[in-house]
Amino acid sequence: MPLYEYHCEPCNERFEVLRPMSKGNDPATCPTCRGAGRRVLSVFAAITAGGPGESPMPLAGGGGGCCGGACGCH
Ligand SMILES: [Zn+2]
């Protein structure tokens, strides 16, 4: 089951809900005010959470990683 992130505007709360994909676009209940939270795209969340300069996944040819081609581990 995918994990979706939601944002509640009245209390500026961000929370995550594990739910079926068919319910992913539905509003989720805010744990703080019990209001309806709107879904936040996880790609956007990953960028804001990681900050600049930190990529959540190793990119091919990005360099820096062991298997990025720098050390010849293959
Ligand atoms: Zn709320």
Side-chain angles (χ1 to χ4, degrees), residues 3-62:
L3 185 69
Y4 294 104
E5 187 165 359
Y6 296 85
H7 176 249
C8 176
E9 275 189 42
C11 53
N12 202 26
E13 185 79 32
R14 283 176 89 125
F15 55 98
E16 293 170 327
V17 179
L18 203 61
R19 59 188 350 194
M21 202 173 285
S22 58
K23 298 269 187 185
N25 288 321
D26 291 358
T29 305
C30 171
T32 305
C33 71
R34 297 283 157 196
R38 290 173 60 177
R39 188 180 164 199
V40 180
L41 292 180
S42 58
V43 177
F44 179 73
I47 292 171
T48 54
E54 275 187 0
S55 62
M57 285 187 288
L59 300 171

